Amino acid sequence: MSDPAADRHRPRRRGRTTLMIATAAVLGLVAGTCTGYLVQADREPTALPPLSQPVIEQAKGKGPAPLPAARDRRLKTDGDLRKLLLKKPRGAREEDLLSDDGWMNLADYAGYFDEPDEALHNFILDGFRRAATISWQQDDTHVEIRLIQFRQEGEAVAEGHAANNQRWARIDGGDEREVPGTTTGTAFVHAEVDEEPGYLPVYTAQAHGWRGDISMEVWVTGAERIPEATILDLAERQMERL
């Protein structure tokens, strides 16, 4: 059974301005290089000045000690991203929606958006790195958690991605709570039942947050309204693992 909540997750819209500016800059650089080469080719070669530089004394003493593994967040998040996911609770049945090994490729993740082609294009521009996911069914409640990691070479993309998800969740309405122990995590419990042709009516709760280069998503659906304590507990424990 597909996850009805995934159909509610809308992509952010981005134009082609960045791509156009980058293309223009490249063309300008090529034209300038060609002109400079032609001018220089007509000139007589000039001798280069002798190479010289002052002697720099080498620093003495020991360098700073490396961070211990427990404090090196980069070491933690550069490892197996799946190990940072919450484990399914005892007695729950693990589900494989789009992944049988815990990894989700970019095309599959983009499929969770209303406009997958646009989402795919945007994530390529944003430096999507990888995504890990886990899902389980317990009684009549379905839980899915996703960790989306970005390269973040120029901007805080993970923060923007989580903020965008939070914005769409607010548009959907419902009760909003800050995830305990965080300043970037927010949980939403939607009061209205989500009805779609061909699917049973479901209630939805979701939580979004970020830490470093990772954006977190927690989705919970069920036949009855999701308790606030349920989504807050899941989101808080997942953020702690980051």
Side-chain angles (χ1 to χ4, degrees):
M1 177 179 176
S2 63
D3 182 6
D7 297 333
R8 299 163 56 89
H9 194 73
R10 284 159 278 187
R12 57 195 165 116
R13 299 178 182 276
R14 287 184 57 178
R16 299 174 61 188
T17 306
T18 304
L19 182 61
M20 293 172 64
I21 292 175
T23 303
V26 171
L27 292 176
L29 178 62
V30 172
T33 302
C34 293
T35 302
Y37 176 80
L38 292 175
V39 170
Q40 184 65 29
D42 292 334
R43 294 177 178 173
E44 292 293 330
T46 55
L48 295 174
L51 296 176
S52 63
Q53 63 179 18
V55 177
I56 301 177
E57 295 185 2
Q58 185 174 356
K60 298 180 180 180
K62 296 182 179 180
L67 282 174
R71 294 180 55 195
D72 191 345
R73 181 184 299 173
R74 191 74 178 181
L75 179 64
K76 187 175 183 180
T77 59
D78 276 349
D80 191 338
L81 193 61
R82 298 171 297 180
K83 294 182 178 180
L84 298 182
L85 288 163
L86 285 179
K87 307 301 179 185
K88 76 174 181 65
R90 187 174 300 175
R93 178 172 57 88
E94 190 166 346
E95 294 185 328
D96 299 325
L97 295 180
L98 291 175
S99 170
D100 57 2
D101 61 359
W103 293 113
M104 178 180 290
N105 63 46
L106 177 53
D108 286 339
Y109 181 61
Y112 276 91
F113 291 73
D114 285 352
E115 300 179 26
D117 291 343
E118 181 181 351
L120 181 67
H121 175 73
N122 289 341
F123 280 125
I124 291 174
L125 292 179
D126 285 341
F128 173 93
R129 180 179 175 186
R130 54 183 180 167
T133 182
I134 188 172
S135 58
W136 64 78
Q137 183 84 22
Q138 191 168 29
D139 299 326
D140 293 330
T141 303
H142 169 79
V143 176
E144 183 175 3
I145 302 175
R146 309 171 200 148
L147 300 180
I148 316 300
Q149 190 171 34
F150 298 89
R151 292 186 176 87
Q152 293 204 157
E153 297 175 351
E155 57 183 284
V157 182
E159 177 183 1
H161 180 63
N164 176 75
N165 289 341
Q166 292 168 350
R167 181 175 68 88
W168 281 114
R170 290 188 184 97
I171 293 174
D172 289 337
D175 296 332
E176 177 179 344
R177 294 289 185 274
E178 182 178 293
V179 177
T182 75
T183 57
T184 66
T186 310
F188 304 84
V189 177
H190 304 292
E192 295 186 5
V193 65
D194 192 2
E195 296 182 293
E196 266 192 60
Y199 296 96
L200 294 174
V202 295
Y203 289 90
T204 305
Q206 55 183 300
H208 304 280
W210 65 276
R211 185 156 291 166
D213 57 357
I214 296 176
S215 176
M216 175 208 73
E217 304 175 16
V218 180
W219 298 87
V220 183
T221 57
E224 299 179 355
R225 177 166 175 166
I226 309 301
E228 182 181 283
T230 299
I231 186 66
L232 287 175
D233 175 67
L234 288 167
E236 181 181 9
R237 290 191 290 120
Q238 181 58 77
M239 287 292 287
E240 286 176 351
R241 293 181 66 87
L242 299 181

